[in-house]
Amino acid sequence: MKRILAGLLVAAAGVAWYARPVPEPAPVAHVVVGDAGDRLATTSFDGPMVRKRAAIAIRPAPGADRAAIARELRGLAAGEKLGRLTDATFAVFSEELLEYLVPEMTLVLDEGVRVHDAEALMRDHQPASVAFYLVQPVLVHDLTFSVLPPVGVTPESVRDRQDAEGVLGDALNRYVTDVQPTGVTVRYFGAVLSDQAITAVRESMGRAAGIPADRVHVTANLPGPGVELSHGIPDLRDRPHGH
């Protein structure tokens, strides 16, 4: 079982992120509660599942091509050896920033890239079609839900049932579902999810597979310690560095 699950997770890692389910969702089976508005949600799924990142909030100029902005910034980031830029929703930002600016585009840099480096990228190479931007350190959830249905239940039917129910779209907004020969994985990258939202996803996937929710596994997508939240939100500012 462990080897099968590991295989599912490895396969999920190669899939492009943020695709929405193709079928039109049916009415949501139950209300997902527990998220804290613009504030960081309370979660016990921390450690390796929660990562610190630098994120760029972007307000494009009127009429600007957002896809062209993203392509330009990704090329610039690669040229500066800052890795890739990952799309996310504005919900990754702090309540304080969102009171000032609700960005139309959000791009998150790779783990280990400092806010200082993200600010330098935008300061030195701001595209002409970007009217305004802000850079902030954020916390994101980077995790995968995995379910292995019992004999007689196909992974395709699990995917179709959970998509038709619509709970995953309500709780996660952006995610990727990957169907494997023996199971289904749902990869999520974005704002920190509350325990209730994670429970809602596990229950939905469990219903779709005909198994208890506690048999829907939740695992980190990256190795390493991540961010512990048991003592509150840590200081996210860049640490001093030498030259």
Side-chain angles (χ1 to χ4, degrees):
M1 177 71 75
K2 291 182 178 178
R3 285 182 294 179
I4 294 174
L5 179 61
L8 286 173
L9 297 179
V10 169
V15 182
W17 293 6
Y18 306 128
R20 284 183 175 274
V22 175
E24 288 294 325
V28 174
H30 61 278
V31 177
V32 176
V33 296
D35 290 318
D38 294 335
R39 293 168 292 168
L40 188 71
T42 301
T43 184
S44 58
F45 292 83
D46 57 350
M49 301 183 198
V50 175
R51 321 301 291 203
K52 174 189 171 183
R53 298 291 188 94
I56 306 170
I58 297 173
R59 177 72 60 81
D65 184 336
R66 298 184 189 182
I69 291 173
R71 285 194 301 270
E72 182 175 353
L73 287 175
R74 287 191 171 98
L76 291 167
E80 295 293 323
K81 295 182 170 52
L82 296 180
R84 62 181 177 178
L85 300 177
T86 301
D87 293 313
T89 70
F90 65 82
V92 301
F93 292 108
S94 69
E95 182 179 14
E96 291 76 18
L97 183 145
L98 293 176
E99 288 177 352
Y100 177 68
L101 169 71
V102 177
E104 297 176 39
M105 296 177 62
T106 300
L107 296 172
V108 181
L109 286 89
D110 282 348
E111 190 168 54
V113 177
R114 299 168 302 156
V115 170
H116 171 83
D117 296 323
E119 290 173 339
L121 174 72
M122 296 302 295
R123 182 187 65 240
D124 298 339
H125 305 288
Q126 180 180 348
S129 51
V130 171
F132 187 75
Y133 71 87
L134 286 171
V135 180
Q136 186 179 62
V138 301
L139 294 179
V140 297
H141 249 146
D142 192 358
L143 52 82
T144 292
F145 301 88
S146 304
V147 63
L148 300 173
V151 176
V153 178
T154 67
E156 290 80 7
S157 70
V158 173
R159 175 201 57 202
D160 294 344
R161 288 169 188 164
Q162 67 189 30
D163 287 353
E165 189 178 68
V167 171
L168 271 65
D170 187 38
L172 303 180
N173 187 25
R174 293 169 179 252
Y175 61 96
V176 164
T177 301
D178 188 30
V179 175
Q180 298 291 323
T182 55
V184 176
T185 60
V186 170
R187 185 167 185 176
Y188 170 81
F189 177 91
V192 173
L193 301 169
S194 68
D195 281 352
Q196 283 137 310
I198 289 177
T199 296
V201 171
R202 297 177 79 187
E203 289 175 344
S204 177
M205 294 179 69
R207 283 192 297 272
I211 62 171
D214 60 9
R215 288 176 56 189
V216 177
H217 301 271
V218 187
T219 55
N221 290 330
L222 294 175
V227 179
E228 295 288 343
L229 298 175
S230 56
H231 300 294
I233 302 173
D235 185 355
L236 300 179
R237 293 175 296 179
D238 287 342
R239 294 182 179 180
H241 59 283
H243 295 277

